[in-house]
Amino acid sequence: MKAQVFRGVNQLSYEEVPTPEIAPDEVLVQVKVVGLCQSDIKKIRYPLYQPPRIFGHETAGVITSIGSEVTGWQIGQRVVVMHHIPCMRCDYCLNDNFSMCDVYKNITTTAGFTPSGGGFADYVKVPGHIVRSGGLIPIPDNVSFEQASFVEPTNCCLKAVKKAQVAPGQTVLITGAGPIGLMFIMLVKYFGARAIATDLIPSRIEKALSVGAEAAFDPRDPDLSTKIKALTSGLGVDTTLLAVPSDKAFFQALDCTRRGGKILFFAEFPDEVEIPINPNILYRREIDLMGSYSSSYRIQNLAADIVFNQRIDVETLISDRYPLQHLAAAVEQAIAPTPETYKILIYPQTAE
Ligand SMILES: [Zn+2]
Ligand SMILES: [Zn+2]
């Protein structure tokens, strides 16, 4: 089969690799669509992982082979593959911090080499513990593979929205209107809150408004916090979701969030960034800082429901489609996005 193998920093190699062999409790899935995620880009561009590896984790496909001990699944079934599943028994899991669980962090779906997701390949192997623990999600007939590939990123955003306790009537500032920021806007609206967005790119400001933001601004606007306070009875927003790794965006969030409000870090910052802050700002204004990383096992069904029943319009986020062969070009585009670049999807089965 073909796969895009990570051979070193910024070295993707489109190669022939052995199709994974499955054990009696495993399932093989033919990858139809895999979303390109910011985290994939980071893994490709920085020396974080020892090569060779096959990344890709926003995977939707068809079951093509089933181990003899697997029950409840059939060849030909369309599924979303979750690339990691928590143990449900450790102290983290018992406190619902599934993404902190060591079993969760240890990715086991693979298309070969050290298991690393395996979505950037013709086929991906799903290990027994993921098959048994709800890590395969059946895709309803009326839902496309493209739509289904959004279940994982939706879960990650949904987890953040839940953690920040976004509630009806609240106002939420979302910094950054790329694919993640736009998804946040739609989710915040779905939960009955008002969304305000910022982005440097004018077309993204327009897009934010078109997916339901009540207002959207250029973050360089010197009157930003005044304008946001005008929209929130002079208070500021209840919560800010930081969907860009920018310290400027964080300080704007402090200016724009009400006393007693929340600021949630969603985007991952470069490791060398440090943000100096006077703790009294947090103390006197009772601002809660929080982080949300990856997905939550607990809200898996809700994430699937939101995507499958089109409670948010994930299709509006898709801007570009690449065959797997051209993954490197897709990564280039994601690094240097055009004003119209949003979510990029990859198609392993489209040979040229
Ligand atoms: Zn992802
Ligand atoms: Zn655990």
Side-chain angles (χ1 to χ4, degrees):
M1 70 171 189
K2 289 287 193 193
Q4 282 282 4
V5 183
F6 169 74
R7 290 275 174 200
V9 171
N10 283 326
Q11 289 174 38
L12 284 171
S13 157
Y14 187 59
E15 299 177 11
E16 191 69 32
V17 296
T19 304
E21 305 263 341
I22 57 166
D25 64 344
E26 296 180 330
V27 164
L28 192 68
V29 172
Q30 184 186 46
V31 182
K32 294 291 192 184
V33 177
V34 55
L36 179 61
C37 176
Q38 276 303 324
S39 68
D40 298 317
I41 293 163
K42 208 163 345 134
K43 290 168 190 170
I44 292 165
R45 289 187 75 204
Y46 297 98
L48 302 170
Y49 295 94
Q50 193 68 34
R53 287 172 187 260
I54 301 171
F55 298 125
H57 59 271
E58 299 178 359
T59 307
V62 174
I63 293 178
T64 53
S65 184
I66 291 178
S68 57
E69 292 170 6
V70 174
T71 54
W73 295 99
Q74 284 141 31
I75 288 172
Q77 230 173 329
R78 303 161 75 241
V79 288
V80 173
V81 178
M82 298 308 287
H83 60 309
H84 42 190
I85 287 284
C87 77
M88 306 305 287
R89 287 187 284 275
C90 70
D91 288 324
Y92 297 116
C93 285
L94 294 175
N95 284 288
D96 272 22
N97 302 132
F98 304 113
S99 53
M100 298 295 107
C101 165
D102 289 333
V103 172
Y104 179 95
K105 284 178 183 289
N106 181 23
I107 291 173
T108 50
T109 57
T110 184
F113 310 110
T114 308
S116 303
F120 296 144
D122 282 339
Y123 293 88
V124 61
K125 181 174 85 159
V126 185
H129 83 102
I130 289 193
V131 174
R132 286 187 297 275
S133 313
L136 285 175
I137 302 168
I139 303 173
D141 290 343
N142 63 334
V143 174
S144 68
F145 290 114
E146 292 190 342
Q147 290 169 311
S149 71
F150 282 89
V151 169
E152 195 270 350
T154 299
N155 187 321
C156 296
C157 292
L158 180 62
K159 176 184 159 185
V161 166
K162 289 264 178 197
K163 184 160 183 181
Q165 297 177 302
V166 171
Q170 291 186 340
T171 306
V172 179
L173 173 63
I174 293 135
T175 66
I180 292 295
L182 295 172
M183 187 176 276
F184 273 137
I185 294 168
M186 293 191 281
L187 286 172
V188 159
K189 255 200 97 186
Y190 175 62
F191 285 99
R194 304 156 68 205
I196 300 173
T198 58
D199 204 285
L200 296 164
I201 305 173
S203 54
R204 289 190 169 190
I205 293 177
E206 288 304 312
K207 184 85 172 173
L209 294 169
S210 79
V211 304
E214 190 174 301
F217 301 107
D218 186 321
R220 292 165 295 197
D221 185 337
D223 298 324
L224 180 70
S225 68
T226 312
K227 286 179 178 172
I228 286 178
K229 283 185 179 135
L231 290 166
T232 51
S233 315
L235 296 175
V237 298
D238 298 285
T239 294
T240 298
L241 304 173
L242 290 173
V244 285
S246 149
D247 49 351
K248 283 199 188 96
F250 171 72
F251 288 113
Q252 279 182 335
L254 276 180
D255 285 342
C256 296
T257 304
R258 71 164 167 82
R259 295 196 295 267
K262 302 183 179 87
I263 298 175
L264 182 141
F265 287 84
F266 188 83
E268 185 170 9
F269 282 67
D271 279 338
E272 62 275 15
V273 173
E274 293 190 357
I275 297 181
I277 183 167
N278 178 333
N280 284 335
I281 295 173
L282 307 182
Y283 170 69
R284 293 184 187 137
R285 290 177 54 203
E286 292 194 351
I287 301 281
D288 287 342
L289 298 184
M290 51 181 68
S292 183
Y293 151 77
S294 198
S295 61
S296 165
Y297 186 77
R298 186 77 71 212
I299 57 174
Q300 191 61 267
N301 290 340
L302 182 56
D305 169 78
I306 285 173
V307 173
F308 294 162
N309 294 310
Q310 295 170 36
R311 308 201 190 280
I312 65 171
D313 177 14
V314 293
E315 278 183 326
T316 192
L317 301 175
I318 306 169
S319 63
D320 297 271
R321 297 168 170 87
Y322 283 85
L324 180 62
Q325 194 180 345
H326 298 314
L327 178 63
V331 171
E332 285 303 313
Q333 189 186 339
I335 295 166
T338 70
E340 304 300 331
T341 302
Y342 295 101
K343 187 69 180 183
I344 299 174
L345 299 182
I346 308 296
Y347 294 76
Q349 311 301 330
T350 320
E352 282 200 353

